[in-house]
Amino acid sequence: MTRRDLTHFRLIKTVLHRRGPQFALTALALGGFVLAIVSGLAGTPVGSRNFGIVAVWIAWWAVLMLVAVPLFGRGWCSICPIPAPGDWLQRGALLQPATRGLGLGRRWPRATRNMWLQNAAFAVLALFSVVILTQPIVTAVVLLALLFLAVGASLIFERRAFCRYLCPVGGFVGLYSQLAPVELRVKDRAVCAADRQKSCYTGNAAGCGCPWLVYPGALEKNTYCGLCLECLRTCPHDNIAVNWRSVGADLLQPRGRRLDEAFKALIMLGSAIVYAAVMLGPWGTLKSAAYNIGSGTWLIYALGFLAFVFVVLPGAFLFTVHAGRKLARSAVPLRRAFVHFAYALIPLGLAAWVAFTLSFVFANLSYVWPVLSDPMGWGWDLVGTAGDSWTPYLTQVVPALQTGVLLGGLLWSGVTVRRIALEGRSQHPVFPLTLPVMAFCLVITLGLLGLLVG
Amino acid sequence: MQTSVIGRIALFGLPALVVLLAPTPSGSAEPSERIIRIEASSFAYKPALIAVAQGDHITIELVATDVVHGLHVDGYDLSVTADPGQTQRLTFVADRQGTFRIRCSVPCGPLHPFMIGKLKVGTNWLLWRAVALALLAAMAGVVGFRQ
Ligand code: SF4
Ligand SMILES: [Cu+2]
């Protein structure tokens, strides 16, 4: 596997090393974030005319799912505005790498040092998503809540506890960042081992110790590296590399596979299926059920959603893994096989989200132009596009694109299933072991094809 | 081993190419006149699924039952709008095969962006090709490309 260290390029290294460019992008994002909150609270309640809804759920979501995550993994987290104010308070500085700021600096409780809270946070947001996506005020409240949580976490706990353990977006961005063709790693582990100071973790005058509680010297996966680039600044040995690598390299790393992450993969895949059915399907009753929060039908929808993503889909997957073990007479414990094979669902999961997003975004992208000109929906016309009418884009090619993406995801997942099975080659024949799991991936893909292009 | 790689590529690649490049058979039946009445209410179309044959001359009668609704046909990029209680007509020839989303083109309330139906013209060859390719992809996964 070839890796190419992008920091060899002078320009890239300078841009990444300096705080200015990253700060500027964060500040810009924070500006948009604040405007989204303000327009959500004070602007028009008509979602498709409100900057908050259009900027967050169409523009930001499109950039995140179609560009940032597939290409840069956690690139978004590098400039995310949500943790920024808390971060600045915690450090007592905006641009300088100061070390004395506010906050209690507590350690995060050990029992929740995993992805379960993020799994729960995502599921809760998903239950209300049809309302969040369509009501400006609800979007504003959710953004504010995330901001408060992030600031609170920064003041009580050390480093970026919110990002690492709470953020509902951070969980799946981390999961899918394993597929990205970009990674931050150390150049030479021996240099790290010989270094007593470990400034990248403890911090020094040049920057903070890893805000994500990650020791770069041991990094093997992108999942919890927020690409904040502090270690690039603190490492006195210039031992940090930002590599261009082959996509999905982390999936083939057997060490460190965990049940919470396996469930994240299943929850995300399940949610993509539900979203495709509810939001892009032709079933009006399903939409009203998801929208009328608190009603009896919503309760049924909510329970159905939770049952599907936490029980039915994982249960079906468990069953296929079990069947494969039986067919192959494999001695690998069921739980272990379940966890390991779940990582093969990550490409299909991202493909499902990209396919969902393609349809949703291109159909609604033209709402962006009027909203730029009239963010509050108050009848302004700042750049002359307030009157632009709605036109869905690329309607003739989107279904083919979605198909291609889903098939690509299936193929990638299939290759990964096989690679994971080959990791324990001595213990079991690969073909019968993978057959049921592949069938699972195939059925999911056919279901998604039916929902999105059928 | 070299030959086996080539063998595998041929095994999956050739059928995949055939599936991709096979010409689309077009509907052969005599085109007919179809008048389809669609009721639009927040936030669904009734019926939500319409199936017609390729080449049919379609007239959609859009009736908005509560507020103003629109109807935009993806792929054909045609639309029509109806005021409440009013009926508006959209006439076109369904010359392109496939399944196309129809969506509301007038902001009509919170769920407006999700007000979606489907128009199925003839056979959805995209879907069937996709199904065939998915089967091939799954088989390739089980058997493996390399060694
Ligand atoms: S984890 Fe969440 S809050 Fe933190 S940087 Fe990533 S998206 Fe932003
Ligand atoms: Cu409408």
Side-chain angles (χ1 to χ4, degrees):
Chain A
M1 194 184 315
T2 52
R3 292 187 147 75
R4 173 161 258 194
D5 181 3
L6 298 177
T7 63
H8 276 319
F9 299 99
R10 258 277 178 69
L11 181 70
I12 296 186
K13 180 156 187 172
T14 317
V15 169
L16 295 181
H17 217 274
R18 296 241 169 103
R19 286 169 188 278
Q22 189 180 20
F23 179 83
L25 288 173
T26 311
L28 192 73
L30 187 60
F33 190 78
V34 171
L35 187 58
I37 294 176
V38 171
S39 73
L41 295 176
T44 169
V46 179
S48 46
R49 293 252 146 215
N50 186 290
F51 177 85
I53 294 285
V54 174
V56 174
W57 301 123
I58 299 175
W60 170 74
W61 185 256
V63 172
L64 184 75
M65 293 315 282
L66 302 182
V67 184
V69 171
L71 285 183
F72 305 109
R74 275 208 193 259
W76 164 257
C77 295
S78 189
I79 58 150
C80 180
I82 301 174
D87 231 19
W88 295 333
L89 288 173
Q90 196 185 54
R91 291 192 210 173
L94 286 179
L95 263 175
Q96 306 85 337
T99 43
R100 269 262 149 268
L102 290 172
L104 306 175
R106 296 247 171 90
R107 305 203 60 199
W108 186 260
R110 186 173 288 274
T112 52
R113 283 185 206 158
N114 49 48
M115 252 195 204
W116 286 111
L117 285 175
Q118 287 170 316
N119 286 345
F122 181 85
V124 169
L125 282 188
L127 287 184
F128 301 97
S129 55
V130 174
V131 174
I132 299 173
L133 254 56
T134 53
Q135 298 274 12
I137 186 142
V138 183
T139 281
V141 168
V142 169
L143 298 185
L144 266 178
L146 291 176
L147 192 62
F148 275 119
L149 271 176
V151 170
S154 291
L155 294 181
I156 298 172
F157 299 102
E158 57 170 349
R159 313 196 189 197
R160 274 166 80 163
F162 173 81
C163 296
R164 180 71 203 257
Y165 300 116
L166 288 175
C167 178
V169 178
F172 72 79
V173 173
L175 183 84
Y176 292 136
S177 72
Q178 298 181 74
L179 303 175
V182 171
E183 64 177 15
L184 181 144
R185 297 288 186 275
V186 298
K187 293 178 187 164
D188 180 356
R189 289 197 172 194
V191 174
C192 298
D195 176 25
R196 292 282 179 80
Q197 307 264 301
K198 309 268 192 273
S199 317
C200 57
Y201 195 78
T202 55
N204 59 19
C208 312
C210 178
W212 288 74
L213 299 145
V214 168
Y215 166 52
L219 256 184
E220 286 183 325
K221 300 183 180 192
N222 285 352
T223 320
Y224 303 107
C225 167
L227 294 177
C228 64
L229 305 171
E230 286 298 320
C231 54
L232 195 71
R233 295 162 188 144
T234 50
C235 178
H237 308 288
D238 191 21
N239 197 30
I240 301 289
V242 177
N243 295 321
W244 187 256
R245 62 167 195 186
S246 55
V247 291
D250 298 349
L251 296 183
L252 306 177
Q253 173 59 261
R255 267 189 304 271
R257 293 196 186 125
R258 299 174 0 187
L259 187 65
D260 55 337
E261 295 178 6
F263 256 84
K264 176 102 251 168
L266 282 153
I267 292 168
M268 291 313 295
L269 186 60
S271 305
I273 297 171
V274 175
Y275 275 34
V278 173
M279 295 181 197
L280 304 181
W283 302 288
T285 14
L286 204 54
K287 292 176 215 285
S288 347
Y291 183 74
N292 291 310
I293 290 177
S295 69
T297 48
W298 176 78
L299 206 64
I300 296 172
Y301 162 76
L303 291 175
F305 173 83
L306 293 176
F308 182 69
V309 301
F310 282 101
V311 183
V312 176
L313 198 67
F317 187 64
L318 184 71
F319 176 77
T320 56
V321 171
H322 175 70
R325 279 169 68 252
K326 279 273 166 284
L327 285 177
R329 298 180 202 285
S330 158
V332 177
L334 180 58
R335 179 189 156 120
R336 189 185 146 87
F338 174 85
V339 167
H340 281 249
F341 278 124
Y343 282 73
L345 301 177
I346 294 173
L348 187 55
L350 182 60
W353 278 99
V354 169
F356 166 80
T357 303
L358 279 171
S359 158
F360 180 67
V361 161
F362 283 111
N364 297 300
L365 198 60
S366 57
Y367 284 127
V368 169
W369 321 126
V371 152
L372 282 180
S373 211
D374 183 15
M376 311 294 280
W378 286 344
W380 302 349
D381 196 358
L382 300 176
V383 288
T385 50
D388 285 18
S389 57
W390 173 80
T391 347
Y393 294 144
L394 302 178
T395 64
Q396 305 195 11
V397 291
V398 163
L401 285 179
Q402 292 174 296
T403 307
V405 166
L406 285 173
L407 291 174
L410 173 65
L411 195 61
W412 192 351
S413 279
V415 171
T416 314
V417 168
R418 196 177 150 77
R419 293 276 197 96
I420 290 174
L422 282 167
E423 285 165 5
R425 163 139 65 177
S426 53
Q427 301 162 32
H428 43 237
V430 166
F431 175 74
L433 186 69
T434 55
L435 196 62
V437 180
M438 271 318 302
F440 178 89
C441 295
L442 178 64
V443 169
I444 296 286
T445 308
L446 295 180
L448 282 161
L449 282 168
L451 285 171
L452 291 170
V453 300
Chain B
M1 194 188 124
Q2 202 58 343
T3 48
S4 107
V5 172
I6 294 170
R8 306 259 150 134
I9 290 175
L11 186 61
F12 300 113
L14 290 182
L17 266 184
V18 171
V19 172
L20 269 176
L21 301 180
T24 311
S26 53
S28 50
E30 275 293 295
S32 55
E33 293 284 337
R34 296 282 310 267
I35 299 178
I36 298 158
R37 185 187 146 94
I38 300 180
E39 276 181 26
S41 58
S42 308
F43 302 94
Y45 294 104
K46 218 167 84 187
L49 305 171
I50 306 150
V52 301
Q54 187 183 20
D56 280 359
H57 292 239
I58 312 290
T59 300
I60 288 178
E61 291 184 350
L62 181 69
V63 189
T65 58
D66 43 17
V67 293
V68 189
H69 289 289
L71 184 153
H72 174 274
V73 188
D74 274 14
Y76 285 81
D77 288 329
L78 300 165
S79 27
V80 61
T81 329
D83 284 338
Q86 219 190 30
T87 304
Q88 286 292 340
R89 285 180 183 76
L90 177 68
T91 305
F92 62 101
V93 178
D95 49 5
R96 190 172 295 139
Q97 284 205 86
T99 299
F100 305 93
R101 295 294 181 274
I102 54 182
R103 26 182 124 242
C104 185
S105 51
V106 184
C108 57
L111 296 191
H112 155 70
F114 305 127
M115 184 163 166
I116 287 173
K118 287 185 200 179
L119 168 71
K120 187 164 170 277
V121 181
T123 311
N124 186 355
W125 287 107
L126 176 67
L127 181 65
W128 291 114
R129 280 181 218 262
V131 169
L133 290 174
L135 281 167
L136 281 172
M139 285 189 321
V142 178
V143 182
F145 297 115
R146 297 180 219 173
Q147 22 119 339

